[in-house]
Amino acid sequence: MTDSISKTLQILFSKVAFIFLLFNFSEVHSQELIKTLSSPDGKLSVNVMVKNGTASYSVSYKGKVYLEPSPLGLKTNVGDFSWGLELKDKVNQKTIDETYELPNIKQSKVHYVANESVFSFVKDNRSAIDVIFRVSNNDVAFKYKVYPQKSALAAVVQAEASGFLFPAGTTSFLSAQSKAMVGWERTMPSYEIPYVVDAAVGENGKGEGYTFPCLFKLNNGGWILVSETGVDSQYCASRLIGHEKGLYTIGFPMQGENNGNGSSTPGIRLPGETPWRTITVGETLEPIVTTTVPFDLVKPRYEASQNYKYTKGSWSWIIGMDKSTVYEEQLRYIDFSAAMGYETVLVDALWDTQVGRDKIAELAKYGATKGVGLYLWYNSNGYWNDAPQSPRGIMDKTIARRKEMAWMKSIGIKGIKVDFFGGDKQETMKLYEDILYDANDYGIMVIFHGTTLPRGWERMYPNYASSEAVLASENLYFGQRSCDLEAFSATLHTFIRNTVGSMDFGGSALNKFYNENNTPNKGSKRMTSDVYALATAVLFQSGVQHFALAPNNLTDAPKWAIDFMKEVPTTWDEVRFIDGYPGKYAVIARRHGTKWYVAGINAQKETLKIKVKLPMIAAGAELKQYLDDAQLNGKVISSKLKKNQEMELVIPCNGAILILN
């Protein structure tokens, strides 16, 4: 089936089916209740319903409706499984009880307990699809299994009916999906559209839906985060398409992505499964901040070739841009990383022409004497956008890629940063997987930029380090507007983007101005405080961090700030939500070993004054506090936690607080 025919069918299905869904999934009382699946603690429940051959589900938490009856089903080229379905009497059920350890996510040791039910549907007296639901204490997940149809052992999934119908009065915190082949050198979509906060449901972004994850606030005060996980070379990545009356449905990639190359609809073997759709719910943001569901539902795709290290490092490009990618400057940054106790330096774009391969080998050798390894930047580009930065034409080709990685291994390169993907098609997911798999053969870790959201990749791919998929620190260099909104954006990333996967933001700058001389004569001005820079090193989670620090900070930044940035971990054992509201302020706590780090930032014009409980820290414990005054001047004080484990936090606009025990 050609892409044009597939696209036509998808559009036709969308126009007809979604009109049907809008009018048939908004009334709870018209549905026939079939089965209920509850969480281990009994507070979260899913009702699966069928009426006139059409399946739906709803979600309730503590007796309150979080999702109204929402559509289930999918349409393939070997059968339409969105209608005419009959549920088998037998529902296979089991309890999932697993433990695993993962050093590079928000919680190092995870105990995952969930109840699973497999709802099997037939159509025309033939096995059609299973809908597999898992419900843990604050998470719902579902996926489909499609069965062979007559002699068909392969299928194209043309559309998913899967939807999420929110109660009236729900508001949203969403990042719109960009149109394909737009933006700088036609490199979008790259998950870098600013969020619109506290918006009414019923819109569709810029016309192309929204990128995962998607956050919603219910009129009863509850919160829902919708995303997906387990996406690899066997499927495409998806987005949410907005409709009237609070319905959002799964949308596949736009046909124009990646310069129109590749299919916008995924192909699967039969029997075959789709990725998991995930729904995290809570009365507060705590379950969303702490959820591990993106990783709970997946398994490693291959064994690690070595014990990979999660490190922090420096990079010249964020302050010096392309002109800084020269030999002498990279030497200076290697020395800077060594002085900070960091183990890596990221050598960004154009190193192949402005440094040269022989000199890169010299840098790697010199860095090794200092205990500092190199990450090298690469352009992913083959035929899908116009990004000119080199090296290019390597990572998209298996033979060239593996030859390059063999060279990297021979000179001791630790990792790569691959940029400018610009698409979510199945073929693009395969490229991500191929790069990761090949890199593992050579002991190389991988960071992705200009990229899609990671979907469980920390557990699936053991040498995966991090992804951008956010309006990251480079935009602070490019424009004052981003600097003005820096704290506002950070309060969103804490509760949305960074809750589902590692986020390579590349921030925590201590320069007052984004230029190599740290002077006001050029470049944008940082509006946030030095304490804020330290706080985001805790707020933003990524196992590998390259901070936006510069060698001059050793002498022009406060000693207490440099000392903290030398010591701050990049891996964490636990996370706690303390307080916050997306777009206003954020306070969370992370634990590394036995030490807790409490970080708070404020984006509101008014000084934030709140009382918080810190039950994870013993009463009477000695605390070190990093504080801002009204003029954003930072200082460090010592104190003790009260017997009631309560503290008052005072955070000025664009300021922060840090508390260490």
Side-chain angles (χ1 to χ4, degrees), residues 340 510 530 534 557-566 626 636:
M340 293 294 293
L510 288 172
D530 290 340
L534 311 190
K559 183 177 184 300
W560 51 262
I562 286 295
D563 287 346
F564 178 87
M565 292 305 297
K566 287 179 178 179
Y626 298 74
V636 184

Side-chain angles (χ1 to χ4, degrees), residues 15 35 189 417 426 620 633:
K15 288 181 177 179
K35 296 290 181 181
K417 170 183 171 182
Q426 187 172 3
N633 298 309

Side-chain angles (χ1 to χ4, degrees), residues 160-266:
E160 279 195 34
S162 309
F164 313 85
L165 181 58
F166 293 92
T170 298
T171 57
S172 64
F173 301 75
L174 302 175
S175 172
Q177 176 67 290
S178 71
K179 294 186 181 300
M181 301 298 290
V182 298
W184 187 79
E185 302 294 358
R186 302 195 300 163
T187 56
M188 298 180 84
S190 50
Y191 288 60
E192 296 180 8
I193 301 296
Y195 286 86
V196 177
V197 303
D198 273 320
V201 296
E203 301 296 327
N204 193 34
K206 299 177 181 295
E208 304 296 343
Y210 302 96
T211 58
F212 287 126
C214 298
L215 181 65
F216 299 88
K217 187 176 188 295
L218 305 185
N219 58 5
N220 64 16
W223 295 89
I224 299 184
L225 187 77
V226 177
S227 193
E228 65 178 358
T229 192
V231 179
D232 59 12
S233 61
Q234 303 305 302
Y235 215 76
C236 63
S238 301
R239 54 196 161 119
L240 276 193
I241 305 297
H243 307 275
E244 295 178 353
K245 298 185 179 182
L247 176 66
Y248 293 79
T249 55
I250 294 294
F252 290 153
M254 297 166 281
Q255 181 54 46
E257 293 178 23
N258 294 123
N259 210 17
N261 293 286
S263 172
S264 61
T265 52

